[in-house]
Amino acid sequence: MLNKSRVYSLNDRLNLQKNSIISEDMMLGDKVKIKGYGISEGEGISLEKIFHPVLLYIVDGRIDFTIEDKKSEMIKGNSVLIPSGEWRGIDAIEDSKILIINMEEDIMIKNMDKSKILELVDEVEYSEDKIVSKTLVQNDALSMTLMAFDGKQELSTHAAGGDALVIALDGEVLINIDGEEFDIKKDESIIMPANIPHSLHINDKFKMLLIVSKKA
């Protein structure tokens, strides 16, 4: 599990071992479970049907990804939203590290194509001197939002009702958590604990996936 209020390089956090798959629980909530995988070249996750929506994100490497009967290559930065009830399989073409974000079956995801390989960082656009947010999930137990900050921007001090995971997709942000500052760059991550004051300060450009998990 990720410790709260600590900066992680996703690439460094996920481990690889020859001829093996290493998995790790990274965040466990009532409605979302995030697992990280280090999959060595030639290994994979066999074809299986999943009964909840899944967002898969490639942290590093290259895989063959199968959804239903279609196989596609995915590389670092690619993502795919897999609807409930579809078959999926993963084969590592080279040593690869991935995040799998599992959501409960009743979660509905909007504003993102399903069963299509995408660049997650491109799913929200910069707008000059503005903050742009795209909601993927919003309910009492879980929120997932893509956000893009352009120019000198900030989110003033506030607290969330659940643990908030930041996955940096582009640029850099300074996050203050209860008086302690953390510099977060692309491909890094941090959990901002529930009910603890935090703020975000951006000097240029920054994009993130923000996942807030609250008790239902």
Side-chain angles (χ1 to χ4, degrees), residues 90-193:
I90 296 169
D91 296 293
I93 301 171
E94 57 189 48
D95 288 350
S96 299
K97 300 175 181 182
I98 65 176
L99 290 182
I100 295 183
I101 302 170
N102 297 281
M103 288 154 279
E104 292 296 320
E105 187 175 2
D106 60 347
I107 296 293
M108 296 296 292
I109 301 178
K110 59 184 181 180
N111 298 324
M112 190 172 174
D113 291 335
K114 298 178 175 68
S115 306
K116 179 180 178 182
I117 295 173
L118 306 165
E119 287 284 341
L120 192 59
V121 70
D122 294 335
E123 288 299 294
V124 61
E125 299 293 334
Y126 288 118
S127 182
E128 187 174 359
D129 295 325
K130 293 180 176 64
I131 301 172
V132 179
S133 63
K134 179 187 283 189
T135 300
L136 304 181
V137 176
Q138 185 68 58
N139 60 41
D140 291 340
L142 174 68
S143 70
M144 288 178 56
T145 309
L146 287 166
M147 301 188 72
F149 303 80
D150 185 84
K152 196 173 183 65
Q153 303 284 354
E154 70 174 54
L155 293 181
S156 58
T157 302
H158 63 284
D163 289 341
L165 173 65
V166 171
I167 299 176
L169 302 174
D170 189 43
E172 185 174 0
V173 63
L174 185 67
I175 297 180
N176 187 302
I177 302 175
D178 202 23
E180 187 175 359
E181 291 189 337
F182 301 88
D183 189 33
I184 312 294
K185 302 179 182 66
K186 179 182 176 180
D187 295 330
E188 292 183 335
S189 180
I190 193 169
I191 293 179
M192 301 179 293

